[in-house]
Amino acid sequence: MEDGRSASPIKDLRNALAKETRKRQALEQQLREALILLQKTMKDREKFRNLVEDTSAVIFATDPQGIITYISPIIHAFTGMQPEDLMGREFMTVIHPEDRRRLQKVHERVISGDLHSIEYRIRHKRHGYCWVRSFSRPLINDRIFKGLRGVMVDISELKSAEAAFRESEKRYQTIVENIEEGYFELDLKGYLTFVNTSLCRIVGLSRDRLLLTHFRKYVSRPTARYFFQLFNRVYRSGIPATNQDFEVHRNDQRMILEISASLVTDQDSRPVGFRGMLRDITHLRRAEEERLELKEQLHHAQRIEAIGTLAGGIAHDFNNILMGMQGNISLMLMRTPPANPLIQKLHNMERYIKDGSSLTRQLLDFARTKQRQTAVIDLNELIRKTADMFGRTKREISVNASGLTATWPAKVNPGQLEQVLMNLFVNAWQAMPKGGRLTIETEDCQLDMKSVHPSA
């Protein structure tokens, strides 16, 4: 009996110890699981923190009143300020004043559930503001607005690039609109996609009428066919092409144009259209035609002048022959009695010589195309021109006209005086059959009555 009673408490104690052991083991297992869960949670939080801090985008949160409750450390790269400098501040205080009203309207739409991104400027601690783009969403708990969560990225470089592009585009448009040449752009089908003011002026049509219409609408069939061949050659070769002296008619007026075209490609070097220049060269071609006409007139005048020079020389020689004949006839008349039947023949010959001399003068005046008018001229200039003309026809004679010092103008008949000078030069040339040097000098000289009075 005693052994049985003493054995029961020991068994109970063992059972109690076993039960406590199982409880302790269960608690230890729960503790181990809790520790594992805690470690995993801490690791996940660390991963999240590292993700937030390493990303280039700023993550931020505000309460319902717009007070910043969290902002990631990368904000320092945006604003030069640390997160603690911004925590507790109203978000709108860091926004550029010109952007606040627009941002407020967007936030009102975000709160109502209309998700939206927006670009605005935030304050920088040291140098003004930087551009950012942000995307926000509302935090709702039990249908109560608790604040905003969002991210923002720095787009300052993008904005600078956009500004530079707009400036470049503006400068490009200014240049295109102010050049004298007509500029156009076509798509691959031949429809005009851009024209400048000068092209509208050249073709006489408005921009609204030209845009989005096919070029063949405004040209003849042969012209359209030629344009197609030109653009097709540019499309196949990729080499710009130019055509000059392209003649068209506008309002019954003849126009001469020059067209040049090149291929337009996209980023993948695939053809997307054409661009080109249209130049109105009518005035240039007319000027060229006038220049050629004036050149021909100059050549004609030079030929006439050469004929005049030759006629002057021939007239001089012919006059010398006539004067020799006149002298001999005069001697014969002096020695022939009046009753001689030949006396009338001699008088006839004398008259013929005078007619020949008059005819020579008329021929010279006609060949030289000089009007018998007097004018006040610079004698030196006339002498120099006549000497140059003579020197070109008589290469064996060296003409020196450096001694022309007279300064007084004179009223003379330029044609007759030029004939006198030419006769003097021809006489000098004949006196130097083997060539020589002809020196011409002038000086101002005042003659008194004694000097001009005929001698007795």
Side-chain angles (χ1 to χ4, degrees):
M1 291 292 296
E2 292 178 1
D3 293 339
R5 287 194 296 270
S6 62
S8 180
I10 295 173
K11 184 177 180 179
D12 292 340
L13 179 60
R14 288 177 178 176
N15 292 336
L17 289 174
K19 186 177 181 179
E20 290 297 325
T21 300
R22 288 193 296 272
K23 287 183 178 180
R24 180 178 61 80
Q25 290 175 347
L27 289 173
E28 289 179 353
Q29 180 63 28
Q30 293 176 1
L31 180 59
R32 283 195 297 269
E33 292 177 354
L35 287 174
I36 292 173
L37 180 61
L38 178 60
Q39 290 175 354
K40 183 178 179 181
T41 301
M42 294 298 293
K43 185 180 295 185
D44 290 341
R45 290 187 61 184
E46 182 67 18
K47 288 181 180 179
F48 177 75
R49 186 181 67 82
N50 291 336
L51 178 63
V52 169
E53 293 182 355
D54 291 343
T55 184
S56 58
V58 173
I59 300 175
F60 63 91
T62 65
D63 64 9
Q65 287 72 40
I67 304 299
I68 299 173
T69 57
Y70 174 78
I71 194 161
S72 56
I74 195 65
I75 190 63
H76 180 266
F78 286 52
T79 64
M81 293 182 283
Q82 298 296 335
E84 53 268 23
D85 299 329
L86 299 172
M87 298 284 287
R89 290 180 58 177
E90 187 177 355
F91 190 78
M92 285 294 179
T93 60
V94 299
I95 306 301
H96 194 286
E98 296 178 1
D99 300 335
R100 291 174 184 172
R101 182 183 297 273
R102 181 166 52 89
L103 185 61
Q104 183 62 43
K105 291 181 179 180
V106 173
H107 278 182
E108 291 173 359
R109 296 176 60 185
V110 170
I111 293 172
S112 64
D114 184 10
L115 303 182
H116 197 74
S117 64
I118 184 174
E119 297 176 359
Y120 53 88
R121 288 162 289 182
I122 60 175
R123 186 186 304 277
H124 195 281
K125 186 177 182 180
R126 291 184 296 275
H127 47 80
Y129 293 84
C130 72
W131 277 95
V132 298
R133 178 191 292 273
S134 72
F135 179 87
S136 303
R137 61 179 300 169
L139 181 60
I140 307 295
N141 190 3
D142 295 333
R143 298 182 179 182
I144 299 175
F145 175 65
K146 298 295 185 179
L148 290 175
R149 301 291 184 270
V151 295
M152 66 174 68
V153 293
D154 188 353
I155 60 170
S156 298
E157 293 185 0
L158 176 61
K159 282 293 184 179
S160 298
E162 289 179 352
F165 175 77
R166 286 193 298 269
E167 182 64 25
S168 176
E169 187 178 37
K170 181 180 178 181
R171 185 163 53 248
Y172 164 78
Q173 290 180 347
T174 300
I175 293 173
V176 168
E177 286 297 328
N178 286 278
I179 58 177
E180 288 295 325
E181 292 79 4
Y183 177 84
F184 63 89
E185 292 181 1
L186 300 168
D187 62 17
L188 291 178
K189 294 182 179 180
Y191 288 87
L192 290 161
T193 58
F194 179 84
V195 294
N196 70 345
T197 303
S198 294
L199 187 132
C200 297
R201 173 181 52 79
I202 291 172
V203 301
L205 298 172
S206 67
R207 194 190 307 267
D208 293 338
R209 184 174 176 182
L210 289 170
L211 288 178
L212 302 180
T213 58
H214 203 281
F215 73 85
R216 65 168 173 258
K217 180 180 179 180
Y218 308 105
V219 296
S220 63
R221 287 187 177 181
T223 302
R225 186 162 49 250
Y226 171 79
F227 279 171
F228 174 79
Q229 294 173 353
L230 177 71
F231 292 131
N232 188 52
R233 185 167 70 252
V234 172
Y235 178 83
R236 293 180 179 277
S237 66
I239 301 174
T242 300
N243 176 267
Q244 296 180 344
D245 296 344
F246 192 81
E247 187 172 321
V248 297
H249 293 271
R250 191 192 77 182
N251 299 330
D252 297 329
Q253 292 183 349
R254 171 175 169 264
M255 295 180 63
I256 303 175
L257 305 178
E258 176 185 281
I259 185 172
S260 60
S262 59
L263 192 64
V264 178
T265 58
D266 59 13
Q267 294 179 350
D268 298 324
S269 299
R270 292 176 300 189
V272 294
F274 305 92
R275 65 166 60 96
M277 304 287 286
L278 193 67
R279 302 174 184 86
D280 183 0
I281 58 174
T282 306
H283 62 290
L284 296 178
R285 291 297 174 261
R286 287 176 180 171
E288 179 66 16
E289 292 172 358
E290 292 175 359
R291 187 187 69 83
L292 293 176
E293 184 178 353
L294 290 174
K295 185 178 180 180
E296 181 60 28
Q297 292 177 359
L298 176 61
H299 288 166
H300 178 72
Q302 289 174 341
R303 286 194 296 270
I304 295 299
E305 192 174 36
I307 293 173
T309 303
L310 179 61
I314 294 174
H316 176 75
D317 292 342
F318 190 62
N319 276 331
N320 287 342
I321 295 172
L322 293 176
M323 290 304 101
M325 294 173 63
Q326 177 65 53
N328 284 285
I329 291 173
S330 296
L331 291 174
M332 292 172 67
L333 286 171
M334 290 174 61
R335 297 178 181 180
T336 303
N340 192 312
L342 297 175
I343 194 70
Q344 186 60 41
K345 302 293 184 181
L346 293 174
H347 282 300
N348 290 339
M349 292 176 64
E350 189 176 41
R351 188 174 66 254
Y352 295 152
I353 291 172
K354 290 181 180 179
D355 291 342
S357 178
S358 176
L359 181 61
T360 303
R361 286 194 299 272
Q362 292 176 8
L363 177 62
L364 181 62
D365 289 343
F366 176 76
R368 298 181 63 80
T369 63
K370 297 292 185 181
Q371 296 181 350
R372 293 185 175 274
Q373 295 180 353
T374 59
V376 178
I377 65 169
D378 181 359
L379 288 176
N380 290 337
E381 184 63 27
L382 179 63
I383 294 171
R384 188 177 293 109
K385 183 179 69 172
T386 307
D388 290 342
M389 185 192 329
F390 176 79
R392 287 195 297 269
T393 60
K394 301 295 184 291
R395 300 293 183 180
E396 65 274 20
I397 301 298
S398 175
V399 180
N400 178 16
S402 61
L404 304 178
T405 60
T407 59
W408 294 346
K411 186 176 183 180
V412 297
N413 185 313
Q416 291 181 348
L417 183 57
E418 190 172 356
Q419 181 179 347
V420 172
L421 292 170
M422 188 62 69
N423 289 337
L424 290 174
F425 297 160
V426 171
N427 284 337
W429 166 65
Q430 291 178 341
M432 298 181 287
K434 295 183 180 181
R437 182 181 182 85
L438 175 60
T439 302
I440 309 170
E441 296 179 356
T442 63
E443 64 177 345
D444 295 326
C445 181
Q446 187 171 1
L447 303 178
D448 54 16
M449 292 303 298
K450 182 179 180 179
S451 301
V452 299
H453 193 277
S455 58

mmCIF file of all heavy atoms in Angstrom, residues 139-156:
data_model
loop_
_atom_site.group_PDB
_atom_site.id
_atom_site.type_symbol
_atom_site.label_atom_id
_atom_site.label_comp_id
_atom_site.label_asym_id
_atom_site.label_seq_id
_atom_site.Cartn_x
_atom_site.Cartn_y
_atom_site.Cartn_z
ATOM 1 N N LEU A 139 -3.666 58.986 -50.460
ATOM 2 C CA LEU A 139 -3.692 57.901 -49.476
ATOM 3 C C LEU A 139 -5.039 57.982 -48.751
ATOM 4 O O LEU A 139 -5.308 58.941 -48.017
ATOM 5 C CB LEU A 139 -2.541 58.041 -48.484
ATOM 6 C CG LEU A 139 -2.437 56.962 -47.402
ATOM 7 C CD1 LEU A 139 -2.245 55.583 -48.034
ATOM 8 C CD2 LEU A 139 -1.304 57.275 -46.430
ATOM 9 N N ILE A 140 -5.902 56.961 -48.993
ATOM 10 C CA ILE A 140 -7.256 56.949 -48.434
ATOM 11 C C ILE A 140 -7.362 55.801 -47.432
ATOM 12 O O ILE A 140 -6.986 54.661 -47.723
ATOM 13 C CB ILE A 140 -8.322 56.767 -49.525
ATOM 14 C CG1 ILE A 140 -8.138 57.815 -50.642
ATOM 15 C CG2 ILE A 140 -9.722 56.854 -48.947
ATOM 16 C CD1 ILE A 140 -8.365 59.229 -50.200
ATOM 17 N N ASN A 141 -7.881 56.118 -46.231
ATOM 18 C CA ASN A 141 -8.081 55.100 -45.192
ATOM 19 C C ASN A 141 -9.477 55.291 -44.618
ATOM 20 O O ASN A 141 -9.795 56.344 -44.062
ATOM 21 C CB ASN A 141 -7.034 55.257 -44.094
ATOM 22 C CG ASN A 141 -7.043 54.084 -43.124
ATOM 23 O OD1 ASN A 141 -7.798 53.116 -43.297
ATOM 24 N ND2 ASN A 141 -6.219 54.169 -42.100
ATOM 25 N N ASP A 142 -10.313 54.237 -44.755
ATOM 26 C CA ASP A 142 -11.704 54.319 -44.300
ATOM 27 C C ASP A 142 -12.407 55.518 -44.939
ATOM 28 O O ASP A 142 -13.142 56.273 -44.281
ATOM 29 C CB ASP A 142 -11.789 54.410 -42.760
ATOM 30 C CG ASP A 142 -11.282 53.154 -42.094
ATOM 31 O OD1 ASP A 142 -11.364 52.075 -42.742
ATOM 32 O OD2 ASP A 142 -10.781 53.251 -40.959
ATOM 33 N N ARG A 143 -12.139 55.701 -46.253
ATOM 34 C CA ARG A 143 -12.732 56.771 -47.034
ATOM 35 C C ARG A 143 -12.354 58.154 -46.538
ATOM 36 O O ARG A 143 -13.031 59.146 -46.841
ATOM 37 C CB ARG A 143 -14.254 56.630 -47.067
ATOM 38 C CG ARG A 143 -14.738 55.337 -47.727
ATOM 39 C CD ARG A 143 -16.244 55.308 -47.771
ATOM 40 N NE ARG A 143 -16.709 54.074 -48.419
ATOM 41 C CZ ARG A 143 -17.995 53.789 -48.626
ATOM 42 N NH1 ARG A 143 -18.942 54.643 -48.209
ATOM 43 N NH2 ARG A 143 -18.330 52.658 -49.220
ATOM 44 N N ILE A 144 -11.284 58.221 -45.787
ATOM 45 C CA ILE A 144 -10.805 59.507 -45.268
ATOM 46 C C ILE A 144 -9.465 59.807 -45.921
ATOM 47 O O ILE A 144 -8.571 58.958 -45.938
ATOM 48 C CB ILE A 144 -10.672 59.494 -43.738
ATOM 49 C CG1 ILE A 144 -12.045 59.217 -43.099
ATOM 50 C CG2 ILE A 144 -10.106 60.819 -43.229
ATOM 51 C CD1 ILE A 144 -11.988 59.062 -41.585
ATOM 52 N N PHE A 145 -9.311 61.038 -46.458
ATOM 53 C CA PHE A 145 -8.069 61.440 -47.115
ATOM 54 C C PHE A 145 -6.981 61.652 -46.067
ATOM 55 O O PHE A 145 -7.129 62.475 -45.159
ATOM 56 C CB PHE A 145 -8.295 62.730 -47.916
ATOM 57 C CG PHE A 145 -7.040 63.292 -48.522
ATOM 58 C CD1 PHE A 145 -6.346 62.598 -49.501
ATOM 59 C CD2 PHE A 145 -6.545 64.529 -48.101
ATOM 60 C CE1 PHE A 145 -5.197 63.125 -50.066
ATOM 61 C CE2 PHE A 145 -5.400 65.056 -48.667
ATOM 62 C CZ PHE A 145 -4.714 64.358 -49.648
ATOM 63 N N LYS A 146 -5.909 60.889 -46.192
ATOM 64 C CA LYS A 146 -4.834 60.943 -45.209
ATOM 65 C C LYS A 146 -3.589 61.692 -45.718
ATOM 66 O O LYS A 146 -2.669 61.950 -44.946
ATOM 67 C CB LYS A 146 -4.417 59.519 -44.815
ATOM 68 C CG LYS A 146 -5.536 58.715 -44.144
ATOM 69 C CD LYS A 146 -5.915 59.326 -42.806
ATOM 70 C CE LYS A 146 -6.928 58.459 -42.072
ATOM 71 N NZ LYS A 146 -7.290 59.037 -40.749
ATOM 72 N N GLY A 147 -3.556 62.000 -47.005
ATOM 73 C CA GLY A 147 -2.389 62.693 -47.536
ATOM 74 C C GLY A 147 -2.054 62.216 -48.938
ATOM 75 O O GLY A 147 -2.842 61.526 -49.592
ATOM 76 N N LEU A 148 -0.874 62.603 -49.405
ATOM 77 C CA LEU A 148 -0.424 62.238 -50.743
ATOM 78 C C LEU A 148 0.870 61.449 -50.664
ATOM 79 O O LEU A 148 1.686 61.664 -49.764
ATOM 80 C CB LEU A 148 -0.198 63.488 -51.603
ATOM 81 C CG LEU A 148 -1.422 64.295 -52.042
ATOM 82 C CD1 LEU A 148 -0.975 65.543 -52.774
ATOM 83 C CD2 LEU A 148 -2.336 63.454 -52.920
ATOM 84 N N ARG A 149 1.042 60.550 -51.604
ATOM 85 C CA ARG A 149 2.310 59.859 -51.791
ATOM 86 C C ARG A 149 2.723 60.080 -53.257
ATOM 87 O O ARG A 149 1.879 60.040 -54.147
ATOM 88 C CB ARG A 149 2.170 58.351 -51.513
ATOM 89 C CG ARG A 149 1.698 58.015 -50.124
ATOM 90 C CD ARG A 149 2.772 58.347 -49.088
ATOM 91 N NE ARG A 149 2.346 57.931 -47.752
ATOM 92 C CZ ARG A 149 1.682 58.691 -46.908
ATOM 93 N NH1 ARG A 149 1.324 59.929 -47.281
ATOM 94 N NH2 ARG A 149 1.334 58.252 -45.724
ATOM 95 N N GLY A 150 4.005 60.270 -53.475
ATOM 96 C CA GLY A 150 4.411 60.506 -54.852
ATOM 97 C C GLY A 150 5.898 60.389 -55.064
ATOM 98 O O GLY A 150 6.680 60.184 -54.116
ATOM 99 N N VAL A 151 6.276 60.488 -56.332
ATOM 100 C CA VAL A 151 7.686 60.472 -56.718
ATOM 101 C C VAL A 151 7.920 61.651 -57.658
ATOM 102 O O VAL A 151 7.001 62.121 -58.343
ATOM 103 C CB VAL A 151 8.067 59.152 -57.426
ATOM 104 C CG1 VAL A 151 7.949 57.977 -56.476
ATOM 105 C CG2 VAL A 151 7.218 58.930 -58.661
ATOM 106 N N MET A 152 9.171 62.116 -57.695
ATOM 107 C CA MET A 152 9.535 63.182 -58.627
ATOM 108 C C MET A 152 10.917 62.885 -59.206
ATOM 109 O O MET A 152 11.767 62.283 -58.530
ATOM 110 C CB MET A 152 9.507 64.557 -57.953
ATOM 111 C CG MET A 152 10.557 64.753 -56.877
ATOM 112 S SD MET A 152 10.614 66.447 -56.227
ATOM 113 C CE MET A 152 9.045 66.550 -55.382
ATOM 114 N N VAL A 153 11.126 63.273 -60.451
ATOM 115 C CA VAL A 153 12.413 63.081 -61.119
ATOM 116 C C VAL A 153 12.892 64.435 -61.627
ATOM 117 O O VAL A 153 12.094 65.334 -61.942
ATOM 118 C CB VAL A 153 12.306 62.086 -62.291
ATOM 119 C CG1 VAL A 153 12.013 60.690 -61.778
ATOM 120 C CG2 VAL A 153 11.241 62.530 -63.288
ATOM 121 N N ASP A 154 14.216 64.587 -61.710
ATOM 122 C CA ASP A 154 14.836 65.827 -62.168
ATOM 123 C C ASP A 154 14.806 65.865 -63.695
ATOM 124 O O ASP A 154 15.335 64.973 -64.368
ATOM 125 C CB ASP A 154 16.275 65.903 -61.654
ATOM 126 C CG ASP A 154 16.914 67.256 -61.938
ATOM 127 O OD1 ASP A 154 16.291 68.077 -62.644
ATOM 128 O OD2 ASP A 154 18.041 67.492 -61.461
ATOM 129 N N ILE A 155 14.194 66.900 -64.272
ATOM 130 C CA ILE A 155 14.145 67.047 -65.736
ATOM 131 C C ILE A 155 14.797 68.365 -66.165
ATOM 132 O O ILE A 155 14.484 68.894 -67.241
ATOM 133 C CB ILE A 155 12.689 66.978 -66.244
ATOM 134 C CG1 ILE A 155 11.851 68.091 -65.612
ATOM 135 C CG2 ILE A 155 12.084 65.612 -65.988
ATOM 136 C CD1 ILE A 155 10.476 68.224 -66.259
ATOM 137 N N SER A 156 15.715 68.887 -65.343
ATOM 138 C CA SER A 156 16.357 70.164 -65.668
ATOM 139 C C SER A 156 17.117 70.084 -66.984
ATOM 140 O O SER A 156 17.040 70.992 -67.831
ATOM 141 C CB SER A 156 17.303 70.577 -64.537
ATOM 142 O OG SER A 156 16.592 70.769 -63.338
#
